[in-house]
Amino acid sequence: RMKSTKLIVWIIIIIILVFGSVLIFNRFESNGSNSNNFENASLGAQFNISLNQTVYISPDLKVKFLNVSGDSRCPSNVTCGWSGQVSIIFDLLEGKRGSLPFELTIRPGDYENLSIKELGDYRLKLLGVVPYPEVPGKIEDSEYIATVVVSKI
C-alpha cells in the first residue's frame, strides 16, 4: 500500500513538472522579445524581413536583417533631381562558413547589380523596401521591411 502511494505521488509530481514547463515555455514564446523575430522561407521564394529578424531558409542557411545603412530615396510627395537609394545590411549565416555580412542597395535605373549579392552557393536579391519616404516624416529603422529572395546558384 505504501509503495503504490509513493508511486502515485511521484506520477503527480512528474505531471505537474511537465505541465508547468509547457506553461512557462508558452508564456515565454508569447511574451518573449524573440517571438516575432524568426520566420521560415524557401529557396527561390521571396519573403519579407524586418530589422533584427532572422529568416530560416534551411537548417544550415539563415538571413538576418542587421541595419538600414542609408535611405536617400526622394520622398513620394516631393520632386527631386535624383531619385536616391536605400541600402540594407544583412547577415547570411551559412553552416560551416558562419556569418557573412553584406549590403544590398536599391537604386532606380541601371543599377540592378547593387541589389544582388552572390555568396558561396547562394544568390541574394533585394526586391523592395517599404515604407517609402514622405515629407513630413521620418522612418524609424524598426519600420523598415525588406523583400528578399535567396536562390541556389
Side-chain angles (χ1 to χ4, degrees), residues 1-131:
R1 177 114 175 122
M2 186 67 139
K3 286 183 180 180
S4 65
T5 305
K6 283 184 180 180
L7 179 62
I8 291 171
V9 169
W10 277 110
I11 291 173
I12 291 171
I13 290 172
I14 290 171
I15 290 171
I16 290 170
L17 288 173
V18 168
F19 282 114
S21 298
V22 168
L23 290 174
I24 290 170
F25 179 77
N26 285 341
R27 178 168 290 173
F28 172 76
E29 282 296 305
S30 63
N31 295 329
S33 60
N34 291 332
S35 62
N36 292 322
N37 285 350
F38 300 99
E39 296 291 331
N40 292 313
S42 300
L43 273 176
Q46 69 181 39
F47 58 88
N48 292 331
I49 185 170
S50 56
L51 184 68
N52 293 321
Q53 185 178 29
T54 300
V55 173
Y56 289 81
I57 310 297
S58 71
D60 290 335
L61 184 65
K62 302 179 269 281
V63 176
K64 184 172 184 178
F65 183 148
L66 294 179
N67 192 20
V68 178
S69 56
D71 188 355
S72 62
R73 295 175 294 174
C74 180
S76 59
N77 54 347
V78 174
T79 302
C80 302
W82 184 57
S83 55
Q85 64 185 32
V86 60
S87 299
I88 308 285
I89 298 176
F90 296 95
D91 193 8
L92 182 70
L93 302 149
E94 183 191 3
K96 297 175 185 168
R97 290 190 179 136
S99 176
L100 301 166
F102 62 96
E103 181 178 69
L104 294 177
T105 299
I106 291 183
R107 179 193 236 174
D110 193 23
Y111 297 99
E112 184 181 26
N113 61 316
L114 298 175
S115 67
I116 298 170
K117 184 76 172 181
E118 291 184 356
L119 294 169
D121 298 332
Y122 301 98
R123 182 177 195 240
L124 300 97
K125 182 173 184 181
L126 179 60
L127 301 172
V129 178
V130 293

